[in-house]
Amino acid sequence: MPDDAVATAARSSGDGAANPLREGLASDRITNPCSAVFFGASGDLFKRMLLPAVYAMRLSGTLPTDFALIGFARTQYDDDGFRDYCRKQLEQFMPDGQKPQGALWDDFARRISYITADFNDTRHFTALKERLAQNDEQLGTAGNHLFYLSTPPPVFPEIIKHLKLAGLDKDAAGWTRIVVEKPFGTDLESARKLQSVIEAVFPENEIYRIDHYLGKEPVQDIIALRFANTIFEPIWNRNYVQNVQITSAESLGVEQRGAYYDNAGALRDMIQNHVINLLALVAMEAPISSDADDIRNEKYKVLSAITPPPHAGVWSMSARGQYGPGTIDGHAVNGYREEPDVAPDSNTETFAAAKLYIENWRWAGVPFYLRSGKRLPRKVSEVAVTFKPIPHRFYGESTDRIEPNVLVIKIEPDEGISMRFEAKVPGPKEHVRSVYMDFNYGTGFGVQSPPAYERLIGDVMLGDQTLFTRWDAVERAWEIVTPILEVWQNTKDFSFPNYAAGSQGPESAQALFPDWRHL
Ligand code: BG6
């Protein structure tokens, strides 16, 4: 099948082509021709997330027909061996109906190649340069080069240095973009160091710092909820909002990632990036347009209005926990200290909570509660905005039983928006009770949200930085968490493990805020 026919077949094979609910969806977002180089292509992230995302783009027709994928990693493969490896991973990680097969796979496969490489050997980067030139000539990739750093972060500086030495930092004919996986540094100082290495080679408009939460549909919808409607913004402030709770809870433990996680902990792993990004979207002022930098200016501005807790205030503004043995979904599970590659006396937190204030006109006095943890009873990511109680005792004694309004932006596993409000119970009495208005993506639009990585890789190919974190915001997020990190790191917690797997988290979190939403 010729290239165009392959893409068209892929596009029209999608279900629901005639579904009116799908009108306006960007299924025709075809990106620029390019070669995408995945550093660390033999690793976990590539096989589980990145490769399936690229292949799904191929299936939906959003990948340019003139595309090439180059794996660059230590594990030994030749081109055919790596193609075979990719096929096996796709068989495992693509859903039924999207497994690699037929002309589509054959065309995709011939565009895959591999370089067995040492990240600090200049010759391998020279080989990469030759391969890219060959792709440009034979596969029409037009001098556009996407470099995706999905290796462990300590290797990033080596790769960047060698890209520069090999003259791969720019191509006269096309664009060059570099994608940097999280974590961006392990603390403020190391993040600044990494930034200085990257910015010596690539300008900010070529750097894509990925935070996959920003690629989740309901997270993108925070902007639409706030700025494509008129009814929410007038009450989105200290006059009406009692508090904001941002939760990212998981029932999984650290799985096979103990070696990484034991040096990270929940504050670095989730709060500094995903959760603070959510906070910025929920709390920022209205950007003057939907352009990437107008949005990112506002995100930075609101983060700069947060005063990091003083060292002496850390204990009253935060809570930490570590899970012990317990039960999840009826199954007994190990405690954190029994997980593979975790120190038996580890002081690493698997649960982190913090209370932050935004010191600006809109939010003065409104607490923002953030929490994230592993081995909590269920997977749930959400933002809950709780409004103030009614202003007078309209129902006499019963006024105390009236629940405040809560607007919940549901990120996962449910995707949607729900609003709790009070309604009269039918009957002769003046009873009121909480009811819900629920919007759900699946039924609202008749489609499943595309995985975050698919959206984000597509945005890199299109040169759209909106959903990527700019350096100023990354640095500010590190500044906000630094006092907490330092105090926690320097103080051994003798109560660890202080919550059972499957419980609501440590008691210290309840002391920080008794009204956490039940998990
Ligand atoms: C990653 C963290 O960034 O996000 C993991 O490193 C965590 O520890 C994961 O499990 C959660 O992502 P999601 O999309 O499953 O909520």
Side-chain angles (χ1 to χ4, degrees), residues 316-330:
S316 60
M317 303 282 282
S318 68
R320 62 176 166 170
Q322 187 190 76
Y323 64 82
T327 311
I328 300 268
D329 288 336

Side-chain angles (χ1 to χ4, degrees), residues 13-261:
S13 70
D15 57 342
N19 182 345
L21 292 175
R22 298 189 61 172
E23 234 171 75
L25 297 178
S27 44
D28 282 331
R29 224 172 67 110
I30 301 181
T31 49
N32 305 152
C34 65
S35 283
V37 183
F38 289 92
F39 295 97
S42 52
D44 216 49
L45 185 70
F46 178 77
K47 70 177 182 194
R48 283 175 191 277
M49 298 289 178
L50 307 180
L51 176 66
V54 173
Y55 195 63
M57 288 174 69
R58 190 75 182 106
L59 291 176
S60 67
T62 54
L63 199 65
T65 41
D66 296 324
F67 170 77
L69 186 158
I70 304 174
F72 189 103
R74 291 206 178 100
T75 313
Q76 285 270 347
Y77 289 110
D78 57 16
D79 289 345
D80 279 340
F82 186 62
R83 285 178 191 130
D84 205 43
Y85 170 82
C86 289
R87 186 184 180 124
K88 286 196 181 111
Q89 306 317 315
L90 290 172
E91 263 153 18
Q92 186 177 351
F93 294 111
M94 291 304 285
D96 283 346
Q98 297 185 26
K99 309 275 186 200
Q101 56 172 331
L104 208 71
W105 164 252
D106 292 343
D107 178 69
F108 189 78
R110 81 180 176 88
R111 294 164 180 282
I112 295 178
S113 61
Y114 187 81
I115 296 173
T116 306
D118 227 335
F119 295 114
N120 50 23
D121 188 333
T122 313
R123 286 169 307 167
H124 297 143
F125 287 80
T126 310
L128 175 61
K129 190 175 186 179
E130 284 160 13
R131 183 70 52 85
L132 285 166
Q134 202 178 320
N135 285 349
D136 289 341
E137 207 179 293
Q138 296 171 4
L139 298 174
T141 47
N144 294 329
H145 304 152
L146 185 163
F147 298 122
Y148 199 119
L149 304 187
S150 57
T151 59
V155 190
F156 293 173
E158 275 301 308
I159 297 175
I160 290 161
K161 183 176 106 192
H162 281 95
L163 284 174
K164 168 91 182 156
L165 285 175
L168 282 167
D169 50 326
K170 47 179 91 56
D171 187 290
W175 50 252
T176 301
R177 297 179 188 142
I178 182 153
V179 184
V180 189
E181 260 299 333
K182 74 168 265 276
F184 197 94
T186 53
D187 56 18
L188 182 56
E189 203 189 315
S190 60
R192 283 182 175 151
K193 235 187 231 160
L194 175 58
Q195 172 60 15
S196 68
V197 170
I198 301 180
E199 75 187 8
V201 179
F202 297 99
E204 181 66 31
N205 66 0
E206 291 177 359
I207 307 170
Y208 291 72
R209 292 176 200 82
I210 221 162
D211 178 325
H212 77 282
Y213 265 56
L214 296 180
K216 293 178 190 269
E217 282 292 335
V219 175
Q220 295 168 48
D221 194 38
I222 295 173
I223 291 184
L225 175 80
R226 295 191 56 201
F227 306 124
N229 294 292
T230 52
I231 59 173
F232 300 110
E233 212 45 28
I235 55 170
W236 211 256
N237 58 51
R238 68 178 192 289
N239 297 323
Y240 294 93
V241 174
Q242 182 82 6
N243 63 61
V244 178
Q245 286 184 50
I246 306 180
T247 300
S248 186
E250 295 177 273
S251 55
L252 289 178
V254 289
E255 310 292 287
Q256 303 312 312
R257 296 167 73 225
Y260 150 75
Y261 196 90

